[in-house]
Amino acid sequence: MLYSDQLLNELREKARILRRDVIVSIGVGVAGHIGGSNSAADLVAALYFYKMHHDPKTPKLEDRDRFLLSKGHVAILQYAALAESGYFPVEDLKHTKEIGFYLQGHPDVQKTPGIEAGTGSLGQGLSIGLGMALGMRLKGIDRRVYVLLGDGELAEGQVWEAAMAASAYHADRLVAIVDQNGLQANGWIEERYNSYPIREKWESFGWRVLETDGHDMEQILTVLDDASRPEGKPTVILAKTIKGKGVSFAENVVGFHNGMLTEELYRKALAELS
């Protein structure tokens, strides 16, 4: 499919705005997940502003696509997408993680509009997403469930239990997206807990596997549209990304998996994303 330059540029701009919002959400002197938020920003922008059917005025609309942030520690990225979509004021992002506020460090389904499930205990999101996909099939809701996982998260056994079950139940409305940035909290995946090869693992569990450059908007739209074709099996998109993308001092730096910004670094990051 051909995509107009206007659409691609609008979505690239949305991704830039999401990355800027992530920095605003973190602020100065408080640790925040810059790395995994910025690596997935292009993917999340494509989902919320191009692919998914959702309505900020009716967050619980039954006929909606579902998005589950299995790697819930990057909730600030989803908050940015929800705010820019109109679920709540963008100005509220700067109060993220304040005690008692509705934007906490991990997604809270009871407090935050647009959140589908409480996540962040890694490995559980795909199981929840499978349950939703099967429930929607029983109800005759022809929508999709998108689950964003980290590549470090693939070390969790529950991911593969869910993958095996999804294949067994032919859950072809379930789309997993792996943010493959190569880094986990304490270092490179190959050096910490090597989960490679990733493609072959998903294929062996009976999934359709698509691959993309997770920062090339045209490629992202192509694989998302391809994933919309039901083929009797679930689909996983392996998106090659750069941790901390868009902020020069954070790119591929493990310390910014959950890093703290000084006033100087905060201003530098905003300048690079302006």
Side-chain angles (χ1 to χ4, degrees), residues 44-119:
V44 170
L47 285 168
Y48 272 92
F49 302 104
Y50 168 74
K51 190 61 187 174
M52 292 199 307
H53 177 72
H54 62 108
D55 183 1
K57 295 180 181 178
T58 313
K60 295 301 182 182
L61 177 74
E62 189 170 49
D63 183 31
R64 71 185 187 279
D65 291 311
R66 274 74 168 171
F67 174 77
L68 285 165
L69 185 65
S70 189
K71 55 172 204 167
H73 53 278
V74 304
I76 50 177
L77 173 60
Q78 187 176 11
Y79 296 161
L82 291 169
E84 297 294 344
S85 296
Y87 284 82
F88 47 81
V90 174
E91 293 74 19
D92 284 0
L93 294 174
K94 61 186 176 183
H95 299 294
T96 300
K97 293 173 71 172
E98 289 183 4
I99 294 176
F101 201 59
Y102 70 93
L103 302 176
Q104 285 301 302
H106 282 192
D108 188 330
V109 68
Q110 295 182 327
K111 292 182 179 179
T112 308
I115 298 296
E116 300 287 356
T119 58

Side-chain angles (χ1 to χ4, degrees), residues 4 37 47 56 64 114 119 128 132-133 161 164 174 177 183-184 199 201 210 225 229:
S4 70
S37 296
L47 285 168
R64 71 185 187 279
T119 58
I128 300 170
M132 288 183 174
E161 293 178 8
M164 183 165 52
L174 178 64
I177 303 171
L183 279 167
Q184 54 178 262
R199 181 187 182 99
K201 283 186 173 67
L210 305 175
D225 284 338
R229 295 186 295 106

Side-chain angles (χ1 to χ4, degrees), residues 121-241:
S121 183
L122 293 176
Q124 297 180 0
L126 194 61
S127 296
I128 300 170
L130 171 59
M132 288 183 174
L134 295 178
M136 290 162 63
R137 184 163 72 187
L138 286 172
K139 288 186 172 184
I141 300 172
D142 188 17
R143 294 294 177 186
R144 277 167 181 76
V145 180
Y146 297 92
V147 182
L148 181 63
L149 305 102
D151 48 358
E153 184 180 3
L154 300 185
E156 296 284 355
Q158 187 171 336
V159 171
W160 301 107
E161 293 178 8
M164 183 165 52
S167 177
Y169 287 110
H170 307 287
D172 57 6
R173 297 300 192 275
L174 178 64
V175 180
I177 303 171
V178 179
D179 179 11
Q180 196 176 337
N181 59 45
L183 279 167
Q184 54 178 262
N186 296 314
W188 294 98
I189 288 172
E190 291 173 302
E191 300 171 358
R192 304 299 300 178
Y193 193 104
N194 194 342
S195 55
Y196 299 110
I198 295 177
R199 181 187 182 99
E200 289 80 354
K201 283 186 173 67
W202 287 98
E203 287 178 334
S204 72
F205 277 78
W207 286 56
R208 180 166 61 126
V209 181
L210 305 175
E211 296 185 86
T212 185
D213 177 338
H215 303 308
D216 184 314
M217 192 57 70
E218 187 168 12
Q219 284 191 37
I220 293 169
L221 300 192
T222 299
V223 295
L224 286 175
D225 284 338
D226 193 3
S228 296
R229 295 186 295 106
E231 294 189 355
K233 62 173 65 176
T235 297
V236 61
I237 297 170
L238 306 181
K240 187 70 174 177
T241 61

